Amino acid sequence: VVKIENVSKIYSLGDVQVEALKNVSFSVEEGEFLSVMGASGSGKSTLMNIIGCLDTPTSGDYFIEGRNVSGLSGDELADIRKHKIGFVFQGFNLLPRMSALENVKLPMLYNGVKPHDREGKAMEALEMVGLADRAHHQPQQLSGGQQQRVAIARALVNDASMILADEPTGNLDSRTSLDIMELFAELNRKLGRTVIQVTHEPEMASFSRRILTFRDGAILKDERESQV
Amino acid sequence: VVKIENVSKIYSLGDVQVEALKNVSFSVEEGEFLSVMGASGSGKSTLMNIIGCLDTPTSGDYFIEGRNVSGLSGDELADIRKHKIGFVFQGFNLLPRMSALENVKLPMLYNGVKPHDREGKAMEALEMVGLADRAHHQPQQLSGGQQQRVAIARALVNDASMILADEPTGNLDSRTSLDIMELFAELNRKLGRTVIQVTHEPEMASFSRRILTFRDGAILKDERESQV
Ligand SMILES: Nc1ncnc2c1ncn2[C@@H]1O[C@H](COP(=O)(O)OP(=O)(O)OP(=O)(O)O)[C@@H](O)[C@H]1O
Ligand SMILES: Nc1ncnc2c1ncn2[C@@H]1O[C@H](COP(=O)(O)OP(=O)(O)OP(=O)(O)O)[C@@H](O)[C@H]1O
Ligand SMILES: [Mg+2]
Ligand SMILES: [Mg+2]
């Protein structure tokens, strides 16, 4: 469902070139649960932004469901982001002047979900992350881990077939982190959703069945859980 | 050096009261290395903001170096924040249009450090967190973990006697997290700086000699490493 082929990403700052990704190639089947690990600055978020159609490679090709993303128009890309992908940002990216509930409802505004149904779906997503009682708080009235969970709920609310989560448990205690991992595992196992997460914690990575480890913008290893 | 006495913090949202801290009391000696743990939403950041003189309790008293903070003027509080405390925010709080180096220099502008010396001290702090080669990047040109480390460097640059760090390794891989913990341990051991950190990770808490665990706004346990 996701195919990355010889993808490189170079940032130019003045006359300095930062090679964030170097000739990366791999593919992900539908229904996989994959973790991406690697040192700070090794290119994980850059990769996630490309997979999530939020950024384009400097060179190389990216295919989503068989279609080459570089051949798609701005509208077609926006369409994929709206319907096929639920994205949890490393920095959360919540809108500050809206409540948690309104933030979670946002993706549905562009998706033709009826106003009457949005409230129910958004509350259900908040319940899944344990925040039903914080629905009317704004981000600045929430703890760091609560904001992170609102960002997770927002990524789930469109029933997207692919969940991309950039460090979804960085601000959560062990108990809450495990709850979130079990939630992802359930969405993957029962609903067949493809889950790709960036994580720094081996315990969280153990919920997935495959781990890609990055180093300095390139894949260091690709380990799959052996079939038992 | 820090004494929290019967401190409570209540947020009012409409007619709902959120008791973020409930009658909390404890004290911290100069030169201690303390970790604060607890579930997401249990009051840790609220506590840190009070200790860091960024917020005031709804009731109860807070003494810093023997002086009751509620008796101090706005100027005196700003003075304490500038000179006595280095604060690492859970959300980093970097200024977006300035480079990492300029962000790290900021606390020194208000401290009378000569312009000539600021550059050197800021670069030294960036080196301590492994980011000398990212000095001229702006926050949006840095990875999540790099932004977190710039926030840490900024907290160290004033040689403050107390370091308050709210989840300093949430976005860092294991290797880099250990580097940061060793840095804190060294500043504590060699320079006698008081370090209070909020962390979700037991491995990081093990670098400290005392762990306060919070639950629902109150102290659940206060464990000190036994003298060996
Ligand atoms: N401005 C506010 N208005 C209302 N409630 C608030 C406000 N700020 C925080 N809260 C609530 O106070 C409680 C404690 O928040 P705090 O940020 O201290 O938690 P925390 O322990 O730091 O959590 P985390 O580990 O998720 O960062 C939370 O339940 C939060 O919803
Ligand atoms: N806009 C940009 N301009 C220049 N360099 C950038 C830009 N964005 C990212 N970088 C650099 O690209 C590299 C990879 O960044 P990326 O955010 O993908 O890392 P990461 O693996 O997600 O790190 P972390 O674990 O710290 O979140 C970093 O060294 C960073 O400094
Ligand atoms: Mg990242
Ligand atoms: Mg917090």
Side-chain angles (χ1 to χ4, degrees):
Chain A
V1 68
V2 158
K3 192 157 188 259
I4 296 271
E5 226 168 61
N6 300 112
V7 156
S8 293
K9 181 72 185 178
I10 301 176
Y11 293 107
S12 300
L13 285 190
D15 39 287
V16 176
Q17 303 265 42
V18 177
E19 283 192 86
L21 291 175
K22 300 171 185 165
N23 210 7
V24 175
S25 300
F26 70 95
S27 55
V28 181
E29 303 302 314
E30 194 174 348
E32 269 199 63
F33 188 163
L34 163 73
S35 291
V36 177
M37 304 186 80
S40 172
S42 57
K44 307 179 298 294
S45 296
T46 303
L47 177 74
M48 293 294 270
N49 290 339
I50 289 172
I51 297 177
C53 299
L54 295 158
D55 196 7
T56 50
T58 308
S59 61
D61 295 303
Y62 168 43
F63 300 86
I64 181 164
E65 293 184 347
R67 302 162 77 195
N68 192 329
V69 156
S70 46
L72 302 177
S73 68
D75 282 349
E76 285 173 304
L77 282 175
D79 208 61
I80 290 176
R81 284 196 301 268
K82 275 192 239 162
H83 294 114
K84 300 203 174 295
I85 298 169
F87 204 107
V88 186
F89 292 86
Q90 186 169 7
F92 320 153
N93 287 16
L94 299 177
L95 296 192
R97 295 289 157 236
M98 299 165 66
S99 71
L101 187 66
E102 287 161 339
N103 262 287
V104 173
K105 277 188 193 173
L106 261 190
M108 292 188 280
L109 294 182
Y110 308 118
N111 258 9
V113 175
K114 295 187 173 37
H116 169 70
D117 297 329
R118 280 181 222 150
E119 185 94 356
K121 279 190 81 61
M123 277 310 294
E124 189 184 358
L126 283 170
E127 272 159 33
M128 284 200 269
V129 300
L131 286 177
D133 64 347
R134 289 283 182 272
H136 303 294
H137 286 229
Q138 293 187 353
Q140 73 279 2
Q141 295 163 336
L142 293 171
S143 77
Q146 290 168 343
Q147 292 175 30
Q148 185 156 39
R149 285 183 276 157
V150 172
I152 292 168
R154 183 180 59 182
L156 302 180
V157 86
N158 261 339
D159 302 325
S161 52
M162 181 157 56
I163 297 167
L164 299 179
D166 197 344
E167 300 202 34
T169 63
N171 281 283
L172 302 176
D173 56 282
S174 325
R175 171 72 265 162
T176 316
S177 300
L178 292 174
D179 292 343
I180 294 297
M181 284 302 110
E182 282 163 7
L183 172 60
F184 283 2
E186 191 173 331
L187 293 169
N188 174 252
R189 219 178 27 241
K190 291 192 184 164
L191 302 182
R193 300 216 188 137
T194 309
V195 179
I196 303 177
Q197 66 172 0
V198 170
T199 182
H200 282 309
E201 297 169 75
E203 272 166 276
M204 303 304 136
S206 67
F207 278 77
S208 63
R209 293 182 298 279
R210 178 185 175 194
I211 299 176
L212 270 185
T213 305
F214 271 78
R215 187 160 128 183
D216 294 332
I219 294 177
L220 182 70
K221 39 181 174 162
D222 185 348
E223 304 163 289
R224 283 167 204 271
E225 209 178 54
S226 45
Q227 306 302 333
V228 185
Chain B
V1 66
V2 158
K3 192 157 186 261
I4 295 271
E5 227 169 60
N6 300 112
V7 156
S8 292
K9 181 73 185 180
I10 301 175
Y11 294 107
S12 301
L13 284 192
D15 40 286
V16 175
Q17 302 266 38
V18 177
E19 283 191 87
L21 291 174
K22 300 171 185 162
N23 209 6
V24 175
S25 299
F26 70 95
S27 56
V28 181
E29 304 302 314
E30 193 174 348
E32 270 199 63
F33 188 163
L34 162 73
S35 290
V36 176
M37 304 188 78
S40 174
S42 56
K44 308 179 297 297
S45 295
T46 302
L47 176 75
M48 293 294 269
N49 289 339
I50 288 173
I51 297 176
C53 299
L54 294 158
D55 197 7
T56 49
T58 308
S59 62
D61 294 305
Y62 168 43
F63 300 86
I64 181 165
E65 291 184 345
R67 303 161 77 194
N68 192 330
V69 156
S70 44
L72 302 178
S73 69
D75 280 351
E76 286 172 303
L77 282 175
D79 208 61
I80 290 176
R81 284 196 302 269
K82 275 192 239 161
H83 294 112
K84 300 207 175 294
I85 297 169
F87 204 108
V88 186
F89 293 86
Q90 187 168 6
F92 320 153
N93 287 16
L94 299 177
L95 296 192
R97 294 291 157 236
M98 300 165 64
S99 70
L101 188 66
E102 287 163 338
N103 263 287
V104 173
K105 276 186 192 174
L106 261 189
M108 292 188 279
L109 295 182
Y110 307 119
N111 258 8
V113 176
K114 296 187 173 37
H116 169 69
D117 296 328
R118 279 181 223 150
E119 185 95 356
K121 280 189 81 60
M123 277 309 293
E124 189 184 358
L126 282 171
E127 271 160 32
M128 283 200 268
V129 299
L131 285 178
D133 64 348
R134 289 284 182 269
H136 304 293
H137 285 229
Q138 293 186 354
Q140 72 280 2
Q141 296 164 334
L142 293 171
S143 77
Q146 290 168 343
Q147 291 174 30
Q148 185 157 39
R149 284 183 277 157
V150 172
I152 293 168
R154 183 180 58 183
L156 303 180
V157 86
N158 262 338
D159 301 327
S161 52
M162 181 157 58
I163 297 168
L164 300 179
D166 196 346
E167 298 200 35
T169 62
N171 281 284
L172 302 176
D173 56 284
S174 324
R175 171 72 263 161
T176 315
S177 299
L178 292 175
D179 291 345
I180 294 298
M181 283 301 111
E182 281 163 7
L183 172 61
F184 283 2
E186 190 172 329
L187 292 169
N188 173 253
R189 217 176 30 238
K190 292 191 182 167
L191 302 182
R193 299 214 188 138
T194 309
V195 179
I196 303 176
Q197 67 172 1
V198 170
T199 183
H200 281 310
E201 299 171 72
E203 272 167 275
M204 303 303 138
S206 68
F207 278 77
S208 64
R209 293 183 296 280
R210 179 184 175 196
I211 298 178
L212 271 185
T213 304
F214 271 78
R215 185 158 127 185
D216 294 331
I219 294 177
L220 181 71
K221 40 180 172 158
D222 185 347
E223 304 163 289
R224 283 170 203 269
E225 209 178 56
S226 46
Q227 305 303 332
V228 185

